[in-house]
């Protein structure tokens, strides 16, 4: 049984002119990386809301700092080790002649963020520079694959009451267009909380009940006094990229990243916790000088992020680890629920 939101054409971040995306998924264990490339450069911003982030090159995105454009953003599994994937992207972009002109050559600027997926399989297998390079080689303007791919390969959601009750997370993308301008989002969802329907607030994937057959609804469980499982700090994170073809300043790009977190709040509950490193980047390629204004763009960004977060779990596939841990996906519970219905 496929969810209606998955059947609808939700678009992709690659609908934004000047943006390409590539994945590398490691076959040795569930981990990988995803790169979002703007070869001609893009004005960038970032907003970090989680209390346990793992990032690279975020300081240069501050509106008051010198650099105006970056050339890619890397999202990776592997926790802090995964930040090395950005080095591979830097090498690939340099080979393509892409980067900031520093007189003696071109320096590619590649901010990055990582999520924690080390519980699944051999933690010594994690994205490195070779993985980042391979993701760049695979990049295209086609709609990127979703679910258990790239940075979403080892993503898990609903860990508030222990991994044994969690579900498979993943990677999703969506886009929104208004007045000829497009805003797209790409999200790798590894949240400690549930992923919920943005309109109804009902959980789609997350912590399951003791028998594993239904969703527990983490928000209601916590408010009813059910104690959370002890959480390892930094072991959960939702990271992503917002892209637009509107022409923005660095201040505006940073504000669009801020607005994108509203989309996370609509689709993940709880979100921005002490155990999450939630981080969103913005890339503005500037193809369209005229746009409908920041109020509309911010609304578009939040909507694209919310839709992409939902798609991350709706497109995910179930996974059983070598240690015997079963992580079902949304489709598994939906099928079970349909079988239990009368008639």
């Amino acid at each position: 049984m496929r969810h209606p939101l998955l059947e609808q054409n939700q678009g992709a971040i690659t609908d934004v002119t000047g943006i390409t995306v590539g994945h590398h998924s490691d076959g040795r264990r569930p981990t990988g990386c995803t790169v979002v490339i703007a070869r001609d450069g893009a004005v960038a911003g970032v907003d970090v809301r989680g209390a346990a982030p793992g990032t690279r090159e975020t300081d240069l995105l501050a509106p008051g700092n010198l650099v105006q454009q970056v050339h890619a953003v890397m999202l990776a599994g592997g926790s802090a080790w995964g930040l090395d994937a950005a080095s591979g992207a830097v090498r690939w972009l340099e080979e393509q002649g892409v980067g900031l002109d520093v007189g003696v050559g071109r320096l590619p600027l590649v901010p990055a963020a990582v999520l924690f997926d080390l519980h699944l399989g051999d933690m010594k297998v994690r994205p490195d520079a070779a993985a980042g390079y391979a993701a760049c080689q695979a990049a295209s303007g086609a709609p990127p694959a979703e679910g258990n791919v790239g940075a979403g390969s080892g993503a898990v959601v609903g860990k508030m009451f222990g991994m044994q009750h969690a579900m498979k997370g993943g990677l999703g993308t969506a886009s929104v267009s208004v007045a000829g301008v497009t805003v797209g989002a790409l999200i790798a969802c590894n949240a400690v909380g549930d992923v919920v329907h943005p309109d109804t607030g009902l959980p789609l994937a997350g912590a399951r009940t003791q028998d594993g057959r239904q969703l527990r609804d983490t928000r209601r469980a916590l408010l009813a006094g059910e104690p959370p499982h002890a959480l390892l700090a930094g072991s959960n994170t939702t990271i992503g990229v917002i892209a637009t073809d509107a022409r923005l300043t660095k201040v505006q790009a940073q504000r669009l990243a801020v607005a994108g977190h509203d989309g996370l709040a609509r689709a993940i509950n709880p979100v921005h916790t002490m155990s999450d490193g939630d981080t969103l980047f913005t890339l503005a390629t500037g193809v369209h000088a005229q746009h409908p204004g920041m109020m509309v763009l911010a609304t578009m960004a939040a909507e694209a992020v919310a839709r992409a977060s939902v798609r991350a779990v709706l497109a995910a596939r179930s996974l059983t680890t070598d240690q015997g841990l079963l992580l079902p996906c949304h489709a598994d519970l939906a099928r079970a629920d349909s079988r239990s219905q009368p008639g």
Side-chain angles (χ1 to χ4, degrees):
M1 178 180 177
R2 290 170 67 81
H3 194 279
L5 284 177
L6 193 58
E7 297 288 0
Q8 298 172 9
N9 178 14
Q10 296 290 315
I13 194 172
T14 48
D15 293 335
V16 175
T17 303
I19 295 294
T20 59
V21 173
H23 300 307
H24 174 74
S25 305
D26 199 313
R28 295 171 294 174
R29 81 166 183 92
T31 193
C33 58
T34 298
V35 65
V36 181
I37 299 175
R39 291 180 65 117
D40 295 330
V43 175
V46 67
D47 189 39
V48 180
R49 293 289 180 91
T55 58
R56 162 176 164 156
E57 295 275 43
T58 52
D59 283 352
L60 65 82
L61 302 183
N65 288 346
L66 177 66
V67 170
Q68 294 299 304
Q69 295 187 327
V70 303
H71 307 95
V73 172
M74 180 65 71
L75 308 177
S79 192
W81 285 288
L83 290 171
D84 193 34
S87 298
V90 169
R91 179 163 64 89
W92 185 87
L93 288 165
E94 182 185 20
E95 291 174 0
Q96 309 303 308
V98 174
L100 174 69
D101 187 352
V102 292
V104 293
R106 289 194 172 272
L107 174 63
L109 299 175
V110 184
V114 292
L115 56 81
F116 187 100
D117 58 9
L118 301 178
H119 289 317
L120 306 183
D122 182 359
M123 61 85 68
K124 293 185 179 180
V125 176
R126 54 246 184 178
D128 55 13
Y133 189 95
C136 292
Q137 287 181 307
S140 78
E146 298 174 287
N148 300 23
V149 295
S153 297
V156 180
V157 299
K159 292 165 277 189
M160 189 68 71
F161 304 105
M163 285 286 284
Q164 70 274 24
H165 302 301
M167 293 178 65
K168 187 68 183 72
L171 184 139
T173 187
S175 68
V176 179
S177 295
V178 175
V181 171
T182 300
V183 177
L186 184 141
I187 300 293
C189 189
N190 187 54
V192 67
D194 298 342
V195 176
V196 304
H197 194 296
D199 296 330
T200 67
L202 295 176
L204 299 169
R208 292 173 291 139
T209 53
Q210 288 292 334
D211 63 10
R213 298 177 181 177
Q214 294 179 309
L215 290 167
R216 188 182 310 220
D217 195 327
T218 294
R219 176 178 67 92
R220 293 184 183 277
L222 291 175
L223 293 176
E226 188 168 347
H229 189 275
L231 298 171
L232 177 65
S235 58
N236 317 275
T237 288
T238 297
I239 53 178
V241 179
I242 300 162
T244 180
D245 45 22
R247 186 175 300 172
L248 302 181
T249 64
K250 281 186 75 175
V251 171
Q252 291 172 325
Q254 194 266 340
R255 292 306 304 176
L256 213 60
V258 170
H261 280 280
D262 293 344
L264 289 187
R266 292 175 199 163
I268 301 170
N269 198 337
V271 71
H272 305 142
T273 75
M274 292 295 290
S275 295
D276 286 292
D278 303 329
T279 301
L280 292 179
F281 297 92
T282 298
L283 296 174
T285 62
V287 173
H288 296 293
Q290 300 299 318
H291 60 71
M294 285 301 297
M295 184 70 73
V296 176
L297 287 178
T299 302
M300 294 166 69
E303 184 68 17
V305 167
R307 293 183 186 181
S309 300
V310 168
R311 288 184 63 84
V313 296
L314 297 185
R317 303 184 304 276
S318 61
L319 174 70
T320 301
T321 70
D322 293 340
Q323 294 77 28
L325 174 66
L326 170 63
L327 295 169
C329 62
H330 167 84
D332 295 331
L333 266 64
R335 281 192 294 268
D337 182 62
S338 65
R339 287 195 296 266
S340 67
Q341 298 299 319

